[in-house]
Structure formats: C-alpha cells, structure tokens
Amino acid sequence: MATINFYLDKPDKKGFAPIHLRINCNRSQIKLSTGQKIEPKYFDRNKQRATGLDVESHEINHYLDFLRERTDELLHHSNKKTFVQDEIKSILNEHIENYKENNSINIIKEQLSLYGKPFTFVDLFAGAGGFSEGFLQAEFNNKFFDFVVANDINENCELTHLVRYNHQLGLDAAFLKQDITEPDFLDNLLEKIDGRKIDVVCGGPPCQSFSLAGKRKKFDKKDDLFSHYLEVIKVLQPKYFVMENVKGILTKEGGKIKELIIKEINSIVDTKEIPLLNSFIKKIRKESNSFLFDCILKRVELEILLEKNKESGREDFIRFVENGFKKLTPKIADYKTSKTDENINTIRHGFNLLARTKEWDKLKRDIIREKDFCNIDSDNFTDTFTDFLTEIGSENIISKIENSFKALKVHANYKKDCEDIITALNIYTTSFDESIEILKSHCTISQKKELDVILKNIRLYKIEQPFIANASNYGVPQNRERVLFIGCRKDQKYISEIPPTVSEEEKVTIFEALYDLDFIGNNQEAHRYELVDISKQYNGTAKKMAKLLKKRSIDGKLNSKNGKSFAEWSKKGRLSDRFKTQTKPFYVKSTEGLKNGEKYFDVLNNHKTSNQNDIVIERLKVILKKGNYRLAQPELEKLGLATNKRNYNVLKPDQQSSTIMTIADDYIHYNSPRSLTVREMARLQSFDDSFVFQGKRSTGGNNRKTEVPQYTLVGNAVPPLLARAVASEILKYIK
C-alpha cells in the first residue's frame, strides 16, 4: 500500500516554498514538484493544506486534493498492479503540466481576422453546443464563422458553454440563460449582440412546441416556442437561418404542422417593402368597405414595428376595432339593451381582454410554469387548468365575441358591419399571409396580379420544403435523421439540401469511433487513454476489426495519404489553427465550482461507466450474445433475467448506431456487457474529446424536468459534423 503526502521544499528568495508530492511504497520513494508555491506560514504541515479562506488557498487545496485523488486512483484502483517509477512520474506529470498551463483566462476578442472576414452566428436552444461546435469547425475559401451569442434556459448548458468557449478557447461568445418566451428576451438578446449584424441564426425549438393555432390541449412549458424563434428571425433578419427538428414533425397532425411552419416562414416580410404594399391597399380601398381595409392596413403596419412597440401597436389595433363597434352599437341595440344585454357585454369586455393580451400572456406563462412545477398532468386538476388557459387565449375570446354577435337580433342593414368587426378581429390573430388572403378576396383579377408582384418582393425568406438529413451521411457514426428548415434571405443563394460528405460505403462505423476507448469495465472511470491492442482483444477476428479503421479527412471523406481515423480526429480535435486554446480541457462539478477554481484537468474526460449489478450484467451478456433484445427475451425469461425495460440497443461494431438518446442504459457496448460512457456517446455524436460535458453525469425522477446532466446534453445535441456540413454549405454561398 502506497502513502501519498505533500511537503514544502526550501523557500526561494521571495519567501515562497515549492509544494512537492511524495509517494512511499515498499521502501521506494517518488518525489514530484506540483508546480505550486506558498509562503510556509500559510501551509499546515500536519493537514498538508493551505490555510486561509481566500480564493487562492481554496484553489491550491482543490489542486492538491485532485493530485492525491489521481495518484490514489493510479496506484490503488487501476487494473495495473506493477509500475516503474518513470511510468508513475510520466502519468502524474501530465496532470501537473495541464494545471501549469492554466494560469489565467485570456479572452480573444477577434477570432484571428487574418483568416478573412468572419460571418456571425447566434445559436438558440443551444444545449451542449452541437450547432456552435460545427459552425466553428467550418471554413470555406477563407470564410469562417464568428460566434456571437448562445441561448438556453439551463444552468448546465451555460456552464458547458462557459468552460468550452470562454475559458478553454478564449472566445468572447456570450451566453443568455433565459426562456425565449419571456417578455424581455429579445431586448436582452440584442444587448448581448451589442449592435452587430447577425448573418446566421441556428437552433431547434423542441418538437412539442409545434401545434396548430387554437388546437393546443396540453399547455406545457414548450408551447409556442416556434413562434418566439421566428420573432427573433424577424428582428435579426439574418442572411440564413437553420431550424432543426425530429423527422416526425413532417407527419405531425397529418402534415399540417409542416405546412404551418413553411407558411409562418413565408410570412416574414422585408419591412422596407411594406410602404409599397400600403400604397396598393390605399389605392384599391373602397369607401363602401373602408373599415375592413383600414384594419388590413393596421395589421400590415404591425410588421414594421420594433418588438418593444408591438404591444402598443396591437392594443391600438384592438381599440380601433372597438371604436368601430362603439359607433355600431346604437344602431343594433337601444340604450338599455346596450348596458344590460349579456351578448353586448361579452363583446365589449372581450375587447378589454384582447387589449391586454400582454398581461394575459404573462399570467398564462406563470400558470404554465407553476402547473409544470407541481406536476399537474394526467390527474383531476388537468382539465381545470387546461380549460382556464384555453379561456384566456385570444382565439377563444374572439370566438365568444363572434357567437355573441350571432346571438344578437341585428337588422339586415347592419349584419355586414358586424361581420366586418369579426373579420377584423380574426385579422388580429392571423399571420401576415392569412391577412393577405383576406385582402385578395376583395381584389379584382388584375389587382391580384399586381399584388402577387408586390408579395414576391416583400417575402424576406425563400423556403419550399424541409430537408431530411441523416447524420451518417456527414461522417457521424450514427443513423440520426433530422429535419432541417433552411431559410434563405431573398438576397442570398437558395439552399435546398446539404450534399453528403461520405458515400454509403465510406460511412464511419461504431468500431472506428469507439475502439480506442474500450479499456474500461463496469463501474470504472478513466482519466487518461490506455493502449488498446486489437490483435489481443479480438483474437480470430482481429484482422476483420482492424480493416474497419480507415484514414479520413475531418468530414469523413476517405483520405489514405494524410488522413486520420475517426478516433484520431476525436483526440486531435477538429477545430483549425485559427483557435489558440487558452487552457487544457477541464471539468467542473458546478457553476460554483468554476467560480472557486475547482477544475479537474484530465487527459480524458467523461469516461465513466455505470455501476450495474450482477443480475443486470448477466442480462446484458445474454442480449449481447443474441445480438438482439427481442431474440434474447425467451432465454431471459428462462433464466429469470427478464425485465420490463422496453428496449436495449446492441451496438454492432461494423455498422452505425441508432439515434443516440439521453439514457445510456438503453445501449449495450458491442464488446462487453455494459452501458456506454458519456464520452462514448459523445464520440457517436462526433464531439471532439476536448469538448468536456460539465456538471452532473446523470439524473432521474422529477429532476429530469429541470436538470440537464451530461447524458442529456449529449443525447439532445445536434451532431457537430452534421452542423459542420450545414455551415460549410452556407459559407459556399453566403454573400
């Protein structure tokens, strides 16, 4: 058994004594300099710790604890039992050197402009940063991307961003930790952008947020994130935007959701062209129907308003329609009826509700947040909450107003005036495109042709159909299909698809991605790489397995001359020399740990297996042997190893994995009965090994609603190599 101690050497001329690490084992001794110095009066020799409550003492003690932990792990908990002194020194010095290089953060304001003019991008719903990572890797003809802002609502997403982009890479990319639905989100985003023009916006609003207007039943926190995403696009007006989602979005609600998304994107207008449309509306405005034309004009003018002025603009619209009703009231009801009739009061009070949409939306958001916090779902409370949230929605209020008009006994002379008020209110809730359809219904054939020419110029983005991208076509060892909506501003080249970077035969296999990490067993953690000898590990199939290793370019193209295997690229990193890293990769447990300097500098991070009991291991052995969970079930029943678990995915070394999700226990390693580590899942997603996932490794139960641990960060991410292909295609054509 080895003993591990720290002691002070002689002080230097300034009075600072070097701290040394000493290992005693079987009468042999190893001494190593930790690279830290301290005044002897601030070092407790008995406890072997720095004294005092300042940040510097805290960091020194964390560092000494880290070295003790790694030394103990090496000598007492590794598979190897015999070491030579130089081997121990070499391994520990690697940890020490990593710490020495981390003296301070040096944020680079410009990402080396000598490489050309950068194009800016913003990453919304950023999560771990898959889009960000891929966009930073992309380069084409001296063009590249400059990272401005990322956004997500979770603290661990922010922590992973801070460590990777601010500390490690030294970039000045900001992070906005805020819900996109909050009223001041856009103001805060613009503050972070600080006046810079944004060329590209990327992000994927969660698929739960897509629903047909007026058809929402669930009212969860993800409701309507898509419309807020588009609000950002309307304000920033980037040259391109990329929206990523699951394949199921194409068939959701019979394909109506896909059509709604395209319709909403087509409704984003070039505000510079609005005056031309207004002139057209005024030109064809009919005195006999001036009220309705004025409403259409006001609706169109809402598109020009800045976000901070839109609420007052919407209220002004409602008050304009309300004023039309006030003028109509004496014609359709006597004085007494107008004050006491339930239908008249419903219409009158409905206008008040609509005029305060901002306040009701805030209340709705707070209720949804509380409902979610209290787990109100599939219980006797759900319908009550849903009914109330439905009641205060604009569509429902307008529906009640419409029914009240129908219930009134209105003289035939004024029925059209009533219908115009209802149409005006419907204009209030419609998209720009739907408002134009109402306008078209009042146009002659020649006027419609004139309007179509105006509309062609007024639409800011070109998009026809979304594109299905399989990550395996871009050098990712995973069959992950995602839908991409690529919006192209009208002054930019249209992009309808992303060409594959690899052919079917060239696709990266699981073995190529993971073989060099296969030195870890059940309930183990590794902090450095170990040599994997394929010939010993695979015996009779060694040649077959070795053939799976292919030399490639970064994007997966075969390159036998000076390429590297996928695993080698993962170790080296796929970012270009444009990035001068400020520190070695490191891990912290929390935001507080980052503030206190509690950094863990390891050569290899996030490589820890789950602690699975003997029964689970036996179950996994049977499934692994059969190669398929369904085929293994009869034998599992026979052996008393059956489980209610819905599925296990057995990895096939010569194939690509299925879509990587957020639960590691759903996968069985191709060579041993165990689940995957975070690092292995990250490899299957095409993250570099230098990209460290921060915070908790996993979570469970209700914590899954609020926490985003490492496994969730990895599973929900856009594969960086897929994002790289998208970014490279944009760089080819962007003006």
Side-chain angles (χ1 to χ4, degrees), residues 601-710:
F601 285 91
D602 289 305
V603 179
L604 176 62
N605 293 278
N606 305 128
H607 199 38
K608 180 180 181 180
T609 53
S610 302
N611 183 12
Q612 296 175 310
N613 62 41
D614 292 342
I615 293 174
V616 172
I617 292 170
E618 287 303 312
R619 180 183 301 133
L620 299 186
K621 281 181 181 177
V622 173
I623 300 169
L624 185 58
K625 187 178 178 181
K626 291 287 184 181
N628 179 285
Y629 181 41
R630 185 177 57 81
L631 295 177
Q633 283 176 335
E635 189 169 342
L636 292 175
E637 290 278 358
K638 184 179 175 183
L639 296 171
L641 297 171
T643 173
N644 291 328
K645 191 169 173 63
R646 190 170 55 184
N647 195 27
Y648 283 103
N649 293 292
V650 181
L651 298 185
K652 307 294 184 184
D654 57 347
Q655 297 177 16
Q656 291 74 47
S657 78
S658 56
T659 300
I660 289 297
M661 306 300 279
T662 59
I663 302 173
D665 292 351
D666 287 351
Y667 305 90
I668 303 176
H669 192 275
Y670 58 85
N671 194 40
S672 54
R674 64 170 179 83
S675 59
L676 300 182
T677 67
V678 171
R679 180 51 53 202
E680 287 171 324
M681 288 177 74
R683 284 274 188 96
L684 295 178
Q685 282 277 61
S686 75
F687 279 96
D688 291 345
D689 289 3
S690 60
F691 191 109
V692 184
F693 297 88
Q694 308 297 331
K696 292 172 71 173
R697 182 170 154 271
S698 61
T699 193
N702 286 332
N703 289 339
R704 284 183 179 152
K705 290 188 174 184
T706 55
E707 294 178 348
V708 182
Q710 295 168 18

Side-chain angles (χ1 to χ4, degrees), residues 190-406:
L190 291 172
E191 187 180 330
K192 297 276 187 186
I193 290 170
D194 195 24
R196 300 176 70 180
K197 283 285 183 186
I198 300 302
D199 295 306
V200 179
V201 173
C202 56
C207 60
Q208 297 96 316
S209 71
F210 295 96
S211 185
L212 292 173
K215 300 289 184 184
R216 297 190 186 97
K217 299 294 182 187
K218 195 174 178 184
F219 288 109
D220 66 14
K221 285 199 300 183
K222 296 182 179 67
D223 255 353
D224 211 23
L225 296 180
F226 165 64
S227 65
H228 289 277
Y229 177 85
L230 283 195
E231 281 303 315
V232 175
I233 302 300
K234 289 175 186 177
V235 172
L236 298 184
Q237 298 198 351
K239 293 171 180 173
Y240 291 93
F241 69 87
V242 185
M243 194 173 73
E244 174 262 358
N245 221 281
V246 294
K247 189 180 175 183
I249 202 74
L250 298 181
T251 53
K252 191 174 182 183
E253 296 192 32
K256 291 178 181 178
I257 295 299
K258 180 196 76 173
E259 297 306 319
L260 173 68
I261 292 169
I262 292 172
K263 197 171 189 177
E264 290 292 329
I265 291 171
N266 284 331
S267 286
I268 301 173
V269 301
D270 183 351
T271 53
K272 296 191 294 295
E273 301 287 343
I274 290 288
L276 190 63
L277 177 61
N278 283 349
S279 298
F280 171 80
I281 296 170
K282 288 172 183 175
K283 186 176 74 173
I284 68 166
R285 182 177 182 269
K286 299 169 186 172
E287 278 303 320
S288 60
N289 209 2
S290 61
F291 171 74
L292 196 57
F293 275 82
D294 287 342
C295 287
I296 293 172
L297 265 174
K298 283 187 170 294
R299 170 64 186 85
V300 168
E301 285 169 355
L302 283 175
E303 299 294 327
I304 306 175
L305 296 178
L306 295 173
E307 189 61 26
K308 62 182 179 181
N309 300 326
K310 277 191 177 173
E311 286 306 324
S312 59
R314 290 186 186 110
E315 184 177 349
D316 178 60
F317 181 98
I318 292 298
R319 294 306 181 196
F320 178 80
V321 180
E322 181 185 29
N323 195 47
F325 174 67
K326 284 178 179 178
K327 291 177 182 177
L328 179 64
T329 305
K331 300 174 184 178
I332 62 174
D334 58 49
Y335 180 79
K336 183 180 178 182
T337 303
S338 72
K339 296 296 180 184
T340 58
D341 185 83
E342 185 178 53
N343 290 311
I344 295 283
N345 281 333
T346 298
I347 296 167
R348 184 181 289 123
H349 299 161
F351 283 117
N352 290 335
L353 290 171
L354 291 171
R356 290 180 61 81
T357 298
K358 181 181 179 182
E359 287 75 14
W360 285 111
D361 281 348
K362 183 180 182 302
L363 179 63
K364 185 193 291 187
R365 194 166 49 250
D366 290 343
I367 291 171
I368 290 170
R369 189 177 287 119
E370 283 300 314
K371 171 182 170 288
D372 192 71
F373 182 81
C374 297
N375 299 318
I376 304 300
D377 192 21
S378 302
D379 53 37
N380 292 330
F381 299 109
T382 307
D383 288 346
T384 306
F385 276 92
T386 300
D387 290 345
F388 177 69
L389 290 167
T390 303
E391 285 292 316
I392 63 176
S394 296
E395 293 90 349
N396 194 66
I397 293 168
I398 291 170
S399 177
K400 276 185 163 50
I401 291 174
E402 186 175 353
N403 290 334
S404 295
F405 266 115
K406 289 176 181 176

